Amino acid sequence: MRRPSRPSRLVGRAAADFEYDQRKLELRTADLRRFAIEAVLIDEFSEVEQILEAVSSFAHRRNVFVSGSAREYGSLGKDKMEDLSRVLGQRLIKEGYNLVSGFGVGIGEYCVVEALKALYYVRKGSENERVIVRPFPRAQNAAVQQQELNLRHREDLISRSGAVVFIAGNRASPGTGVIEPSSGAREEFRIAKRLKRFIIPIATTGYVAEEIWNEVMNNMEDFYPDIAVRDQMRRLADPALSMADLVEAVIEIIRLTVKSREL
């Protein structure tokens, strides 16, 4: 609800009208409280967007989007990369978080399968609520349409999430087959920044995830205002850690972000 505009000079009719509007607003908000509705008072309609962003962040705070694609596995190797994806999917469910996935090549399938296995034993919430899988659709016509479709799809997935975990992020070049950084992972990073989601890059997996980790570490106050996660972030770049320890650092960060958004 918008507060009544305060006149520059509270005299005569203007003062009476302002007092009437103030009293009317008080009565209306009190009436709403009878139905367990707490009114939020604003001064400008532009504040509505900020309120909606806060509501969205709260509603999706336990949803974690895993961004990852791997045609090549770097220094970590195929077995460890797949193990990391499996452990992450399992831990997210066991810790009470929900997985959002676009089923990225070399990462998504392992993460999703283990999340579904864990859900079978946890039995808290249906798989449609706890594991949200939305593979990328294919456009019927031109490549430009495919890019636009991919963008909308990424925005939808990330908007459903409170945090985004980045793993690897590489692809085979469509023209040459040469391994290169994933443009899709970079786009997901840009979207996550714009939507003000918490970004958790596992740097030891290399490629785009390592690029993102460097940017986050160099601008921690922008990505994590008022949340102390620098120690956990450093651990995500430690090649000596086991896959279970890397996932533990991810879980610790998620736990802190969820707590920061509790009402």
Side-chain angles (χ1 to χ4, degrees), residues 243-254:
M243 300 305 99
D245 287 338
L246 287 172
V247 171
E248 181 60 35
V250 171
I251 295 297
E252 287 178 18
I253 294 172
I254 295 171

Side-chain angles (χ1 to χ4, degrees), residues 196-208:
K196 299 179 182 179
R197 279 9 186 197
F198 291 111
I199 294 169
I200 309 173
I202 305 180
T204 56
T205 60
Y207 305 100
V208 175

Side-chain angles (χ1 to χ4, degrees), residues 7-43:
S8 57
R9 296 181 64 192
L10 288 174
V11 295
R13 182 61 181 269
D17 287 346
F18 178 71
E19 290 174 4
Y20 171 78
D21 289 341
Q22 281 277 74
R23 183 57 180 156
K24 182 180 177 181
L25 180 63
E26 291 170 4
L27 291 172
R28 190 176 180 189
T29 55
D31 191 47
L32 288 172
R33 280 196 292 271
R34 293 170 51 227
F35 299 94
I37 299 173
E38 190 67 36
V40 177
L41 301 180
I42 62 173
D43 294 310

Side-chain angles (χ1 to χ4, degrees), residues 37 65 72 82 101 112 118 137 140 206 210 230:
I37 299 173
F65 175 56
E72 200 275 333
E82 291 176 358
S101 173
V112 168
Q140 298 298 317
E210 187 173 8
R230 189 174 291 275

Side-chain angles (χ1 to χ4, degrees), residues 173-184:
S173 172
T176 64
V178 174
I179 299 300
E180 63 183 13
S182 168
S183 58

Side-chain angles (χ1 to χ4, degrees), residues 191-259:
I191 294 169
K193 278 203 302 184
R194 174 165 52 83
L195 295 180
K196 299 179 182 179
R197 279 9 186 197
F198 291 111
I199 294 169
I200 309 173
I202 305 180
T204 56
T205 60
Y207 305 100
V208 175
E210 187 173 8
E211 292 177 10
I212 295 171
W213 183 89
N214 285 323
E215 182 169 341
V216 171
M217 286 298 288
N218 290 329
N219 301 277
M220 189 66 74
E221 64 283 355
D222 295 329
F223 289 95
Y224 286 89
D226 304 319
I227 306 178
V229 296
R230 189 174 291 275
D231 177 64
Q232 290 88 345
M233 282 290 176
R234 287 196 184 100
R235 284 152 57 192
L236 294 180
D238 187 347
L241 289 185
S242 68
M243 300 305 99
D245 287 338
L246 287 172
V247 171
E248 181 60 35
V250 171
I251 295 297
E252 287 178 18
I253 294 172
I254 295 171
R255 192 176 293 136
L256 290 168
T257 65
V258 170
K259 185 177 180 181

